[in-house]
Amino acid sequence: MHRRDKLWFYLEQYVHNVPAPRLYAVYHDAKQLFLVMQRAPGVRLSSIWPSLTESDKDDIVAKLRKAVDTLRQAKTPWPDDFYGSLDGGGVHHYLFYLPDFKARFYEISRPRILQGHRPTLTHGDIQPKNIVVAERGRNSWGERSFDITLVDWEAAGWYSDFWEYFSAFSTPAFLDWTDDWRWRIHESLQIWPAEMGIMRMMDKDWL
């Protein structure tokens, strides 16, 4: 079984209530792997975010917070201290592709500054282009309500509980402070300012 189909089997089996595309079938043909999946209804949030009203954004941010909370409550099928990808292997993130001596340095120093964190199921790339939204109707006050679907789970895995915030803060969507997404995401994710500072230093050091 390949990493990609293991990933979707995990989501289906353990966190089926997370808003992700459903997996219908997996098959091989001519040594290629094919996944038959649900086509998430709606449009990417990045294409409509600037045109949304404040109440629209309130609804979407609340749905995103619920999705993230569901991820944080997920139980791992591996030991409680497991860190890794959804296929049970290593994490797939460039920060872990370090030269040997630098990796050793962080291995020794990291526990002294990033303590008291637990492994948490993490999407790993929450940004508007990876959130598909579909309008589902209006409430009694005439405000629109939306369904959301998180797509692009390639970076997902079991990371420290601050990782979702770090990864979301490191996306291109955060480069422009004139867009309120950078502020709004704080309503959906737990904020880890000290951990963010350390991780940003490591990220810059990697480059």
Side-chain angles (χ1 to χ4, degrees):
M1 188 178 292
H2 291 258
R3 173 177 175 263
R4 182 171 294 181
D5 49 342
K6 285 182 179 179
L7 184 155
W8 289 107
F9 278 130
Y10 176 88
L11 291 177
E12 291 285 341
Q13 183 174 0
Y14 294 101
V15 284
H16 60 275
N17 53 341
V18 168
R22 301 272 69 88
L23 176 66
Y24 297 137
V26 178
Y27 68 93
H28 289 83
D29 185 19
K31 298 183 179 180
Q32 289 187 316
L33 173 69
F34 294 88
L35 305 181
V36 181
M37 302 181 64
Q38 174 193 23
R39 185 179 186 277
V43 298
R44 293 185 183 271
L45 182 58
S46 55
S47 68
I48 64 170
W49 180 261
S51 66
L52 296 176
T53 66
E54 291 302 306
S55 64
D56 292 340
K57 293 178 179 180
D58 288 342
D59 184 76
I60 291 172
V61 167
K63 299 290 175 52
L64 180 58
R65 180 58 186 253
K66 183 178 180 179
V68 172
D69 287 346
T70 301
L71 287 175
R72 295 180 65 83
Q73 296 166 10
K75 302 298 183 182
T76 173
W78 300 287
D80 290 341
D81 60 351
F82 172 79
Y83 290 86
S85 65
L86 296 190
D87 61 4
V91 291
H92 303 278
H93 192 280
Y94 63 85
L95 279 183
F96 296 94
Y97 305 147
L98 294 170
D100 181 59
F101 294 112
K102 184 177 289 187
R104 293 185 197 182
F105 168 75
Y106 282 127
E107 184 179 8
I108 294 173
S109 59
R110 185 195 60 80
R112 300 185 180 185
I113 53 178
L114 297 175
Q115 301 184 41
H117 295 283
R118 64 181 180 87
T120 303
L121 184 56
T122 303
H123 177 276
D125 195 14
I126 291 181
Q127 55 178 309
K129 74 180 185 68
N130 291 333
I131 303 170
V132 176
V133 297
E135 184 176 349
R136 61 180 304 179
R138 294 179 181 268
N139 61 25
S140 57
W141 297 280
E143 298 171 331
R144 294 194 294 177
S145 179
F146 297 84
D147 289 324
I148 72 167
T149 305
L150 297 178
V151 298
D152 193 4
W153 288 79
E154 291 301 308
W158 292 88
Y159 296 84
S160 295
D161 47 14
F162 59 81
W163 197 272
E164 197 80 83
Y165 181 66
F166 160 67
S167 60
F169 201 94
S170 302
T171 64
F174 269 79
L175 297 179
D176 183 8
W177 273 102
T178 62
D179 190 315
D180 65 343
W181 171 257
R182 192 162 188 170
W183 175 253
R184 283 287 196 155
I185 194 65
H186 292 82
E187 301 173 19
S188 297
L189 303 178
Q190 184 174 355
I191 300 174
W192 301 93
E195 289 80 358
M196 169 61 65
I198 294 169
M199 294 303 301
R200 294 289 285 179
M201 179 188 69
M202 293 176 62
D203 194 13
K204 184 178 180 180
D205 187 41
W206 184 89
L207 298 174

